[in-house]
Amino acid sequence: MNFSDIKSISSRFWEGGQEGKRYPPRVSVSFYSEKGAPGEKLNSDENNRSLARELSIHKELALGEHSSVIKIVDGIIEHAYAMRASDIHMDPGPKKMRVRFRVDGMLEDVHQIPNAVQTEIISRIKILSGLRTDEHQAAQDGRFRYQPEPAVNIDIRVSIVPAYYGEDVVMRLLSDRAEEFTLESLGFSAENGKKIAHAISRPYGMILATGPTGSGKTTTLYTILKSLNTKNVSVITIEDPIEYAIEGIEQIQVNSRTGLTFANGLRSILRQDPNIIMVGEIRDAETAGIAVNTALTGHLVLSTLHTNDAATTLPRLLDMKIESYLIASTVSVAIGQRLVRKICAHCKQQKKMSKAECENLRSLFLKEFFSLGSPVWYGKGCSWCNQSGYFGRIGVHEVLVPDNVIREAVLQKVSAGEIRKLAIAQGMVPMVEDGIGKVLAGLTTIEEIVRMHYE
């Protein structure tokens, strides 16, 4: 590794890996928060700390052979934290290792590092994660805690797998931000919040959050758990992995090597006299059967399922060989959700839609939500959002509460489409309609709802 390599790395850190694109100084904020308001001056102390951190990274990378791999790894993590990234991807290539950050759900190229230091960087990450540094042909998972600045701790979950050009690394940055959330701040409407509040007030039943990977299901369940966590109840979770540590809750990590699966762990939990149980994910018929019977015998059970919407949740349980009468008796609420990007509050602007745009939207969503000249909002792009026009994310939801009509439909084993029609007739607001409401409120853009609609 020579000075020119380090200088190349340094320039890409500073320029962001794109010609002529220079990342502005970043303020260290929580992943989903927006400090300040449009036109408000940045806090000078925070701005100076952020700028000093990036200057320090630049200086270390420019030191050539005297630079430390330890400080390069620290610099990547701190840069990701400053950009509010949720994940760091380190992908080896034939000549260079590409480093990408996932910011607000979107991956973007940030750095390129020569292969000369690839092995040392990966070894450093393995040491931090407590993984075997001499193993290069098997997948390894680990985690470690990092402190990017005083009084701020983030857990970093690491996954390393062998790939064609070397080992591929993905690091997920997890903070204790779940403690800051409420159902309202997650984007739940007042009506949907009331439905969930009513369901969790019952001492038994199942609350299921559904959606694809990365749609915020776990954060929703943690927010509900936080509101249920009092000194009068025993709350136990079994997760894979434990994403956020919550004081006062017993959290169990799945360990397949010791036989601690979701199903076996759930059986053990029942002997611990719990009131409330969270199962990280219902993946198979065995776990589903135990969870349903647990909810039937006087426990409140929270879990997640991978389905496209709330209505598909009930037939999905039928597919897992759960008896229809058990599903009808135990499911209290099914929450379908997605995450969309929020418009940056610092460069937010309003525009009026053309006639062609209105007609296209009407044909797409089959409802006249928009009329000619309807104002909508968008982000022009500024230093706060790195010219993207978006800053942070918000949930788009649909909440299905099975009533007598829907329970009867479940007993008849009707299709998900029929259950969806019945739920909408009973007052469920579909996700797309909830999303359009957020567009009209100036929280997100039409493009984000269209992208969510076709995911």
Side-chain angles (χ1 to χ4, degrees), residues 216-343:
K217 301 185 297 295
T218 303
T219 301
T220 296
L221 293 187
Y222 271 110
T223 302
I224 293 172
L225 279 183
K226 186 192 73 171
S227 67
L228 294 170
N229 183 24
T230 66
K231 62 181 181 180
N232 300 319
V233 296
S234 170
V235 183
I236 305 179
T237 74
I238 180 163
E239 307 169 60
D240 184 24
I242 296 172
E243 294 199 14
Y244 310 118
I246 302 180
E247 186 176 354
I249 292 178
E250 298 299 324
Q251 296 174 270
I252 300 170
Q253 169 75 51
V254 165
N255 189 339
S256 57
R257 287 178 295 181
T258 62
L260 184 58
T261 62
F262 278 119
N264 292 337
L266 191 48
R267 289 191 187 96
S268 300
I269 286 173
L270 291 174
R271 295 190 286 272
Q272 295 287 314
D273 187 31
N275 299 103
I276 301 164
I277 300 170
M278 187 184 96
V279 182
E281 182 182 352
I282 294 178
R283 296 176 179 173
D284 51 59
E286 185 181 13
T287 305
I290 300 170
V292 167
N293 281 285
T294 299
L296 196 64
T297 56
H299 301 84
L300 184 62
V301 178
L302 291 77
S303 191
T304 67
L305 271 176
H306 286 286
T307 62
N308 289 329
D309 53 38
T312 312
T313 303
L314 306 178
R316 176 72 178 126
L317 291 173
L318 284 172
D319 292 342
M320 290 182 168
K321 311 301 180 186
I322 306 300
E323 295 291 341
S324 58
Y325 72 91
L326 290 176
I327 299 171
S329 302
T330 57
V331 177
S332 300
V333 65
I335 304 165
Q337 65 181 73
R338 299 287 193 280
L339 289 176
V340 295
R341 291 181 292 174
K342 291 175 65 177
I343 300 172

Side-chain angles (χ1 to χ4, degrees), residues 131-147:
L131 304 178
R132 290 183 56 181
T133 57
D134 60 341
E135 177 59 74
H136 305 287
Q137 301 302 320
Q140 297 190 74
D141 296 315
R143 66 191 302 155
F144 63 94
R145 174 159 284 199
Y146 191 84
Q147 189 175 45

Side-chain angles (χ1 to χ4, degrees), residues 103-400:
V103 181
D104 294 335
M106 299 293 181
L107 277 173
E108 52 185 81
D109 289 342
V110 182
H111 313 309
Q112 293 185 37
I113 297 177
N115 285 352
V117 292
Q118 175 179 319
T119 302
E120 288 83 354
I121 287 175
I122 293 174
S123 293
R124 171 59 182 168
I125 294 170
K126 286 181 177 180
I127 290 169
L128 289 171
S129 310
L131 304 178
R132 290 183 56 181
T133 57
D134 60 341
E135 177 59 74
H136 305 287
Q137 301 302 320
Q140 297 190 74
D141 296 315
R143 66 191 302 155
F144 63 94
R145 174 159 284 199
Y146 191 84
Q147 189 175 45
E149 57 186 33
V152 175
N153 289 297
I154 55 175
D155 283 326
I156 300 178
R157 197 172 76 211
V158 178
S159 174
I160 300 177
V161 296
Y164 187 77
Y165 290 108
E167 292 176 286
D168 189 284
V169 180
V170 175
M171 294 185 282
R172 170 154 289 187
L173 280 61
L174 302 166
S175 74
D176 294 331
R177 63 185 184 275
E179 296 181 2
E180 306 167 4
F181 291 149
T182 62
L183 291 177
E184 182 181 3
S185 68
L186 292 178
F188 284 93
S189 66
E191 185 61 30
N192 285 339
K194 287 178 183 177
K195 292 178 181 178
I196 295 172
H198 177 71
I200 66 178
S201 66
R202 302 172 64 186
Y204 59 89
M206 288 187 73
I207 297 170
L208 298 172
T210 70
T213 300
S215 59
K217 301 185 297 295
T218 303
T219 301
T220 296
L221 293 187
Y222 271 110
T223 302
I224 293 172
L225 279 183
K226 186 192 73 171
S227 67
L228 294 170
N229 183 24
T230 66
K231 62 181 181 180
N232 300 319
V233 296
S234 170
V235 183
I236 305 179
T237 74
I238 180 163
E239 307 169 60
D240 184 24
I242 296 172
E243 294 199 14
Y244 310 118
I246 302 180
E247 186 176 354
I249 292 178
E250 298 299 324
Q251 296 174 270
I252 300 170
Q253 169 75 51
V254 165
N255 189 339
S256 57
R257 287 178 295 181
T258 62
L260 184 58
T261 62
F262 278 119
N264 292 337
L266 191 48
R267 289 191 187 96
S268 300
I269 286 173
L270 291 174
R271 295 190 286 272
Q272 295 287 314
D273 187 31
N275 299 103
I276 301 164
I277 300 170
M278 187 184 96
V279 182
E281 182 182 352
I282 294 178
R283 296 176 179 173
D284 51 59
E286 185 181 13
T287 305
I290 300 170
V292 167
N293 281 285
T294 299
L296 196 64
T297 56
H299 301 84
L300 184 62
V301 178
L302 291 77
S303 191
T304 67
L305 271 176
H306 286 286
T307 62
N308 289 329
D309 53 38
T312 312
T313 303
L314 306 178
R316 176 72 178 126
L317 291 173
L318 284 172
D319 292 342
M320 290 182 168
K321 311 301 180 186
I322 306 300
E323 295 291 341
S324 58
Y325 72 91
L326 290 176
I327 299 171
S329 302
T330 57
V331 177
S332 300
V333 65
I335 304 165
Q337 65 181 73
R338 299 287 193 280
L339 289 176
V340 295
R341 291 181 292 174
K342 291 175 65 177
I343 300 172
C344 176
H346 298 271
C347 60
K348 186 175 179 180
Q349 294 189 0
Q350 196 176 57
K351 68 175 181 179
K352 291 184 178 181
M353 291 189 300
S354 66
K355 183 178 180 180
E357 288 175 326
C358 290
E359 290 177 352
N360 287 336
L361 289 169
R362 287 172 183 170
S363 64
L364 176 64
F365 298 119
L366 305 177
K367 289 201 175 189
E368 293 190 1
F369 290 107
F370 304 98
S371 58
L372 183 62
S374 293
V376 293
W377 296 86
Y378 73 101
K380 183 180 179 181
C382 64
S383 62
W384 276 82
C385 60
N386 195 34
Q387 310 304 323
S388 69
Y390 297 98
F391 192 103
R393 290 189 290 175
I394 192 169
V396 175
H397 310 94
E398 60 185 18
V399 178
L400 186 156

Side-chain angles (χ1 to χ4, degrees), residues 309-316 400 406 409 413-425 428:
D309 53 38
T312 312
T313 303
L314 306 178
R316 176 72 178 126
L400 186 156
I406 294 175
K413 299 183 179 180
V414 303
S415 67
E418 288 299 318
I419 291 176
R420 182 173 183 80
K421 289 178 183 178
L422 291 172
I424 292 173
M428 183 185 82

